[in-house]
Amino acid sequence: MADDKGRKGIRYGRIVLLILIAYTAIMLALSIPRLPEIMEMYRVKEHIDLYINGEEMETATFTVMLSTASGYAESDRSIERLGRDDLHLAIEALLLDESSQELAAGMLSYIPEGTRLRGVSKADGYVFVDLSKEMKGADSRAFEEIRRTLVHLEGPVSVSFLIEGRPVSA
């Protein structure tokens, strides 16, 4: 009789464990499309924490490549580090709006306004850049600005682009 109670306890324990695993998987699946929003909320929280603690934010300066009438030109842009690696930061710096000095120098970006970096990774000489839906139908110069910025940072690399997680030819 005591052995029967032990088996029931193990059976119920397994059922509870399976329910917890299923619940976790569902919650994870629901949060993946919102990952950019969650990351942005995390960055805002970091800003608030730094402000409350009276700490200065660490910035990094990156050279980005912008379009000009005669091709491409280098421009230095500063961006808050916030624990991000150089690949992320270089592209995030490129996604910033042009400064008045850049515009006065005839530099502009063909990257559509509102474009967000969803992710970037590097493996075996390849860099994979996942961008938001705003890049759909973007001018080829927009992709070239990103490619040239990454080559300036990393040296010779092959760049593959994704939009909303789907490969695109650029």
Side-chain angles (χ1 to χ4, degrees):
M1 192 76 149
D3 193 354
D4 203 26
K5 284 184 180 179
R7 286 185 188 154
K8 283 184 181 179
I10 290 172
R11 195 174 315 135
Y12 290 131
R14 288 182 182 165
I15 291 171
V16 169
L17 181 62
L18 286 173
I19 291 171
L20 286 173
I21 289 171
Y23 175 78
T24 304
I26 290 168
M27 297 313 319
L28 193 66
L30 292 174
S31 67
I32 287 175
R34 294 191 51 206
L35 194 56
E37 293 172 39
I38 293 168
M39 292 303 295
E40 190 60 33
M41 288 186 318
Y42 176 71
R43 288 189 191 131
V44 169
K45 183 186 178 315
E46 282 186 350
H47 282 271
I48 292 168
D49 290 345
L50 288 171
Y51 178 76
I52 289 171
N53 295 331
E55 298 175 28
E56 280 193 39
M57 289 187 222
E58 182 183 352
T59 60
T61 301
F62 291 91
T63 300
V64 298
M65 303 301 287
L66 297 173
S67 297
T68 65
S70 60
Y72 297 91
E74 297 177 359
S75 183
D76 290 334
R77 291 184 176 177
S78 294
I79 189 166
E80 296 166 352
R81 189 163 283 282
L82 295 174
R84 297 174 286 177
D85 62 49
D86 287 352
L87 278 175
H88 283 84
L89 290 168
I91 297 171
E92 291 279 357
L94 181 60
L95 295 178
L96 297 173
D97 290 335
E98 300 93 343
S99 68
S100 56
Q101 293 88 356
E102 290 168 340
L103 292 172
M107 296 182 214
L108 60 102
S109 177
Y110 281 89
I111 297 172
E113 187 176 329
T115 299
R116 294 178 328 278
L117 176 64
R118 295 188 62 214
V120 60
S121 60
K122 181 180 174 187
D124 301 323
Y126 290 92
V127 176
F128 299 91
V129 181
D130 189 4
L131 300 161
S132 63
K133 64 184 177 221
E134 289 79 8
M135 280 294 283
K136 284 183 182 174
D139 190 289
S140 62
R141 290 174 280 196
F143 293 100
E144 189 60 25
E145 289 170 11
I146 297 169
R147 183 178 287 113
R148 287 175 181 257
T149 297
L150 290 172
V151 167
H152 187 275
L153 176 69
E154 293 286 317
V157 292
S158 294
V159 181
S160 293
F161 292 99
L162 298 101
I163 296 178
E164 297 291 328
R166 295 203 164 111
V168 295
S169 57

mmCIF file of all heavy atoms in Angstrom, residues 80-109:
data_model
loop_
_atom_site.group_PDB
_atom_site.id
_atom_site.type_symbol
_atom_site.label_atom_id
_atom_site.label_comp_id
_atom_site.label_asym_id
_atom_site.label_seq_id
_atom_site.Cartn_x
_atom_site.Cartn_y
_atom_site.Cartn_z
ATOM 1 N N GLU A 80 26.348 55.172 -26.484
ATOM 2 C CA GLU A 80 26.478 54.604 -25.145
ATOM 3 C C GLU A 80 26.690 53.108 -25.244
ATOM 4 O O GLU A 80 25.988 52.418 -25.970
ATOM 5 C CB GLU A 80 25.227 54.907 -24.327
ATOM 6 C CG GLU A 80 25.042 56.390 -24.110
ATOM 7 C CD GLU A 80 23.646 56.733 -23.613
ATOM 8 O OE1 GLU A 80 22.778 55.847 -23.570
ATOM 9 O OE2 GLU A 80 23.447 57.902 -23.279
ATOM 10 N N ARG A 81 27.674 52.604 -24.502
ATOM 11 C CA ARG A 81 28.056 51.196 -24.579
ATOM 12 C C ARG A 81 26.970 50.274 -24.001
ATOM 13 O O ARG A 81 26.564 49.324 -24.641
ATOM 14 C CB ARG A 81 29.384 50.973 -23.877
ATOM 15 C CG ARG A 81 29.915 49.589 -24.124
ATOM 16 C CD ARG A 81 31.378 49.448 -23.802
ATOM 17 N NE ARG A 81 32.250 50.019 -24.799
ATOM 18 C CZ ARG A 81 32.545 49.439 -25.964
ATOM 19 N NH1 ARG A 81 32.009 48.307 -26.284
ATOM 20 N NH2 ARG A 81 33.367 50.012 -26.813
ATOM 21 N N LEU A 82 26.525 50.507 -22.800
ATOM 22 C CA LEU A 82 25.469 49.719 -22.150
ATOM 23 C C LEU A 82 25.663 48.206 -22.294
ATOM 24 O O LEU A 82 24.716 47.462 -22.537
ATOM 25 C CB LEU A 82 24.087 50.115 -22.686
ATOM 26 C CG LEU A 82 23.647 51.535 -22.378
ATOM 27 C CD1 LEU A 82 22.335 51.849 -23.069
ATOM 28 C CD2 LEU A 82 23.524 51.746 -20.882
ATOM 29 N N GLY A 83 26.890 47.757 -22.161
ATOM 30 C CA GLY A 83 27.166 46.326 -22.166
ATOM 31 C C GLY A 83 27.102 45.651 -23.516
ATOM 32 O O GLY A 83 27.206 44.438 -23.595
ATOM 33 N N ARG A 84 26.945 46.406 -24.583
ATOM 34 C CA ARG A 84 26.842 45.808 -25.918
ATOM 35 C C ARG A 84 28.230 45.669 -26.533
ATOM 36 O O ARG A 84 29.132 46.454 -26.260
ATOM 37 C CB ARG A 84 25.946 46.652 -26.813
ATOM 38 C CG ARG A 84 24.512 46.710 -26.295
ATOM 39 C CD ARG A 84 23.664 47.656 -27.076
ATOM 40 N NE ARG A 84 24.020 49.033 -26.727
ATOM 41 C CZ ARG A 84 23.492 50.108 -27.281
ATOM 42 N NH1 ARG A 84 22.606 49.982 -28.233
ATOM 43 N NH2 ARG A 84 23.837 51.315 -26.899
ATOM 44 N N ASP A 85 28.388 44.674 -27.409
ATOM 45 C CA ASP A 85 29.678 44.459 -28.061
ATOM 46 C C ASP A 85 29.854 45.408 -29.241
ATOM 47 O O ASP A 85 28.918 46.090 -29.664
ATOM 48 C CB ASP A 85 29.846 43.001 -28.493
ATOM 49 C CG ASP A 85 28.819 42.567 -29.517
ATOM 50 O OD1 ASP A 85 28.619 43.294 -30.511
ATOM 51 O OD2 ASP A 85 28.215 41.493 -29.349
ATOM 52 N N ASP A 86 31.073 45.452 -29.771
ATOM 53 C CA ASP A 86 31.405 46.409 -30.826
ATOM 54 C C ASP A 86 30.595 46.223 -32.108
ATOM 55 O O ASP A 86 30.272 47.201 -32.779
ATOM 56 C CB ASP A 86 32.903 46.357 -31.139
ATOM 57 C CG ASP A 86 33.745 46.987 -30.047
ATOM 58 O OD1 ASP A 86 33.168 47.596 -29.111
ATOM 59 O OD2 ASP A 86 34.981 46.880 -30.123
ATOM 60 N N LEU A 87 30.275 44.986 -32.481
ATOM 61 C CA LEU A 87 29.467 44.769 -33.685
ATOM 62 C C LEU A 87 28.100 45.446 -33.549
ATOM 63 O O LEU A 87 27.661 46.167 -34.442
ATOM 64 C CB LEU A 87 29.244 43.268 -33.928
ATOM 65 C CG LEU A 87 30.346 42.505 -34.631
ATOM 66 C CD1 LEU A 87 29.999 41.024 -34.680
ATOM 67 C CD2 LEU A 87 30.588 43.040 -36.018
ATOM 68 N N HIS A 88 27.443 45.210 -32.415
ATOM 69 C CA HIS A 88 26.142 45.837 -32.172
ATOM 70 C C HIS A 88 26.272 47.352 -32.175
ATOM 71 O O HIS A 88 25.482 48.061 -32.802
ATOM 72 C CB HIS A 88 25.565 45.389 -30.824
ATOM 73 C CG HIS A 88 24.979 44.032 -30.843
ATOM 74 N ND1 HIS A 88 25.737 42.901 -30.671
ATOM 75 C CD2 HIS A 88 23.707 43.613 -31.013
ATOM 76 C CE1 HIS A 88 24.952 41.852 -30.735
ATOM 77 N NE2 HIS A 88 23.714 42.246 -30.943
ATOM 78 N N LEU A 89 27.265 47.842 -31.460
ATOM 79 C CA LEU A 89 27.422 49.288 -31.315
ATOM 80 C C LEU A 89 27.691 49.989 -32.636
ATOM 81 O O LEU A 89 27.163 51.070 -32.889
ATOM 82 C CB LEU A 89 28.537 49.593 -30.313
ATOM 83 C CG LEU A 89 28.192 49.256 -28.864
ATOM 84 C CD1 LEU A 89 29.436 49.318 -28.002
ATOM 85 C CD2 LEU A 89 27.130 50.190 -28.333
ATOM 86 N N ALA A 90 28.529 49.397 -33.477
ATOM 87 C CA ALA A 90 28.855 50.023 -34.763
ATOM 88 C C ALA A 90 27.601 50.167 -35.622
ATOM 89 O O ALA A 90 27.366 51.222 -36.223
ATOM 90 C CB ALA A 90 29.922 49.210 -35.495
ATOM 91 N N ILE A 91 26.772 49.126 -35.657
ATOM 92 C CA ILE A 91 25.552 49.202 -36.464
ATOM 93 C C ILE A 91 24.549 50.152 -35.821
ATOM 94 O O ILE A 91 23.916 50.954 -36.507
ATOM 95 C CB ILE A 91 24.950 47.800 -36.677
ATOM 96 C CG1 ILE A 91 25.931 46.940 -37.474
ATOM 97 C CG2 ILE A 91 23.608 47.893 -37.413
ATOM 98 C CD1 ILE A 91 25.561 45.486 -37.562
ATOM 99 N N GLU A 92 24.428 50.089 -34.492
ATOM 100 C CA GLU A 92 23.524 51.014 -33.794
ATOM 101 C C GLU A 92 23.948 52.464 -34.046
ATOM 102 O O GLU A 92 23.100 53.338 -34.229
ATOM 103 C CB GLU A 92 23.504 50.730 -32.290
ATOM 104 C CG GLU A 92 22.855 49.422 -31.913
ATOM 105 C CD GLU A 92 21.351 49.461 -31.851
ATOM 106 O OE1 GLU A 92 20.758 50.540 -32.041
ATOM 107 O OE2 GLU A 92 20.758 48.404 -31.609
ATOM 108 N N ALA A 93 25.259 52.712 -34.072
ATOM 109 C CA ALA A 93 25.753 54.069 -34.354
ATOM 110 C C ALA A 93 25.359 54.490 -35.768
ATOM 111 O O ALA A 93 24.975 55.633 -36.004
ATOM 112 C CB ALA A 93 27.266 54.140 -34.166
ATOM 113 N N LEU A 94 25.446 53.560 -36.706
ATOM 114 C CA LEU A 94 25.063 53.860 -38.088
ATOM 115 C C LEU A 94 23.564 54.152 -38.203
ATOM 116 O O LEU A 94 23.147 54.966 -39.027
ATOM 117 C CB LEU A 94 25.447 52.694 -39.000
ATOM 118 C CG LEU A 94 25.144 52.843 -40.482
ATOM 119 C CD1 LEU A 94 25.867 54.051 -41.066
ATOM 120 C CD2 LEU A 94 25.530 51.583 -41.225
ATOM 121 N N LEU A 95 22.750 53.519 -37.365
ATOM 122 C CA LEU A 95 21.297 53.709 -37.431
ATOM 123 C C LEU A 95 20.839 55.035 -36.836
ATOM 124 O O LEU A 95 19.690 55.422 -36.999
ATOM 125 C CB LEU A 95 20.580 52.556 -36.716
ATOM 126 C CG LEU A 95 20.749 51.170 -37.349
ATOM 127 C CD1 LEU A 95 20.029 50.119 -36.523
ATOM 128 C CD2 LEU A 95 20.289 51.144 -38.787
ATOM 129 N N LEU A 96 21.742 55.760 -36.162
ATOM 130 C CA LEU A 96 21.389 57.074 -35.621
ATOM 131 C C LEU A 96 21.133 58.054 -36.766
ATOM 132 O O LEU A 96 21.659 57.899 -37.871
ATOM 133 C CB LEU A 96 22.529 57.614 -34.739
ATOM 134 C CG LEU A 96 22.858 56.813 -33.482
ATOM 135 C CD1 LEU A 96 24.124 57.380 -32.828
ATOM 136 C CD2 LEU A 96 21.693 56.821 -32.515
ATOM 137 N N ASP A 97 20.341 59.085 -36.502
ATOM 138 C CA ASP A 97 20.094 60.117 -37.513
ATOM 139 C C ASP A 97 21.382 60.872 -37.826
ATOM 140 O O ASP A 97 22.264 61.005 -36.965
ATOM 141 C CB ASP A 97 19.043 61.116 -37.020
ATOM 142 C CG ASP A 97 17.659 60.492 -36.939
ATOM 143 O OD1 ASP A 97 17.407 59.506 -37.664
ATOM 144 O OD2 ASP A 97 16.846 61.000 -36.147
ATOM 145 N N GLU A 98 21.460 61.393 -39.040
ATOM 146 C CA GLU A 98 22.626 62.174 -39.434
ATOM 147 C C GLU A 98 22.702 63.451 -38.591
ATOM 148 O O GLU A 98 21.676 64.056 -38.290
ATOM 149 C CB GLU A 98 22.561 62.588 -40.910
ATOM 150 C CG GLU A 98 22.508 61.449 -41.878
ATOM 151 C CD GLU A 98 21.088 61.041 -42.260
ATOM 152 O OE1 GLU A 98 20.135 61.411 -41.547
ATOM 153 O OE2 GLU A 98 20.940 60.338 -43.259
ATOM 154 N N SER A 99 23.918 63.835 -38.244
ATOM 155 C CA SER A 99 24.112 65.086 -37.505
ATOM 156 C C SER A 99 24.105 66.253 -38.491
ATOM 157 O O SER A 99 24.242 66.061 -39.708
ATOM 158 C CB SER A 99 25.446 65.056 -36.751
ATOM 159 O OG SER A 99 26.518 65.086 -37.674
ATOM 160 N N SER A 100 23.964 67.442 -37.966
ATOM 161 C CA SER A 100 23.972 68.622 -38.841
ATOM 162 C C SER A 100 25.328 68.766 -39.533
ATOM 163 O O SER A 100 25.396 69.202 -40.679
ATOM 164 C CB SER A 100 23.625 69.887 -38.043
ATOM 165 O OG SER A 100 24.504 70.036 -36.953
ATOM 166 N N GLN A 101 26.420 68.376 -38.855
ATOM 167 C CA GLN A 101 27.753 68.437 -39.475
ATOM 168 C C GLN A 101 27.856 67.448 -40.640
ATOM 169 O O GLN A 101 28.442 67.765 -41.680
ATOM 170 C CB GLN A 101 28.868 68.134 -38.449
ATOM 171 C CG GLN A 101 29.011 69.169 -37.371
ATOM 172 C CD GLN A 101 28.097 68.880 -36.166
ATOM 173 O OE1 GLN A 101 27.307 67.950 -36.168
ATOM 174 N NE2 GLN A 101 28.203 69.719 -35.154
ATOM 175 N N GLU A 102 27.289 66.246 -40.461
ATOM 176 C CA GLU A 102 27.323 65.259 -41.546
ATOM 177 C C GLU A 102 26.514 65.746 -42.744
ATOM 178 O O GLU A 102 26.980 65.655 -43.887
ATOM 179 C CB GLU A 102 26.782 63.910 -41.046
ATOM 180 C CG GLU A 102 27.705 63.225 -40.052
ATOM 181 C CD GLU A 102 27.060 62.053 -39.334
ATOM 182 O OE1 GLU A 102 25.807 61.958 -39.296
ATOM 183 O OE2 GLU A 102 27.813 61.228 -38.794
ATOM 184 N N LEU A 103 25.339 66.290 -42.485
ATOM 185 C CA LEU A 103 24.508 66.801 -43.572
ATOM 186 C C LEU A 103 25.189 67.964 -44.284
ATOM 187 O O LEU A 103 25.155 68.048 -45.517
ATOM 188 C CB LEU A 103 23.142 67.226 -43.036
ATOM 189 C CG LEU A 103 22.242 66.084 -42.537
ATOM 190 C CD1 LEU A 103 21.005 66.644 -41.852
ATOM 191 C CD2 LEU A 103 21.873 65.148 -43.670
ATOM 192 N N ALA A 104 25.842 68.850 -43.514
ATOM 193 C CA ALA A 104 26.546 69.984 -44.109
ATOM 194 C C ALA A 104 27.708 69.520 -44.979
ATOM 195 O O ALA A 104 28.050 70.168 -45.968
ATOM 196 C CB ALA A 104 27.049 70.927 -43.014
ATOM 197 N N ALA A 105 28.293 68.366 -44.613
ATOM 198 C CA ALA A 105 29.408 67.817 -45.390
ATOM 199 C C ALA A 105 28.924 66.977 -46.576
ATOM 200 O O ALA A 105 29.737 66.377 -47.291
ATOM 201 C CB ALA A 105 30.307 66.981 -44.483
ATOM 202 N N GLY A 106 27.615 66.921 -46.785
ATOM 203 C CA GLY A 106 27.075 66.180 -47.922
ATOM 204 C C GLY A 106 26.927 64.691 -47.665
ATOM 205 O O GLY A 106 26.772 63.908 -48.602
ATOM 206 N N MET A 107 26.963 64.269 -46.397
ATOM 207 C CA MET A 107 26.798 62.857 -46.057
ATOM 208 C C MET A 107 25.344 62.597 -45.681
ATOM 209 O O MET A 107 24.714 63.413 -45.027
ATOM 210 C CB MET A 107 27.669 62.494 -44.855
ATOM 211 C CG MET A 107 29.135 62.614 -45.080
ATOM 212 S SD MET A 107 29.981 62.086 -43.572
ATOM 213 C CE MET A 107 31.380 63.168 -43.613
ATOM 214 N N LEU A 108 24.833 61.449 -46.122
ATOM 215 C CA LEU A 108 23.502 61.047 -45.706
ATOM 216 C C LEU A 108 23.417 59.538 -45.697
ATOM 217 O O LEU A 108 24.250 58.855 -46.259
ATOM 218 C CB LEU A 108 22.429 61.663 -46.608
ATOM 219 C CG LEU A 108 22.489 61.303 -48.087
ATOM 220 C CD1 LEU A 108 21.442 60.263 -48.396
ATOM 221 C CD2 LEU A 108 22.253 62.552 -48.906
ATOM 222 N N SER A 109 22.391 59.046 -45.026
ATOM 223 C CA SER A 109 22.200 57.613 -44.920
ATOM 224 C C SER A 109 20.945 57.210 -45.685
ATOM 225 O O SER A 109 19.923 57.876 -45.607
ATOM 226 C CB SER A 109 22.066 57.209 -43.452
ATOM 227 O OG SER A 109 21.818 55.817 -43.358
#
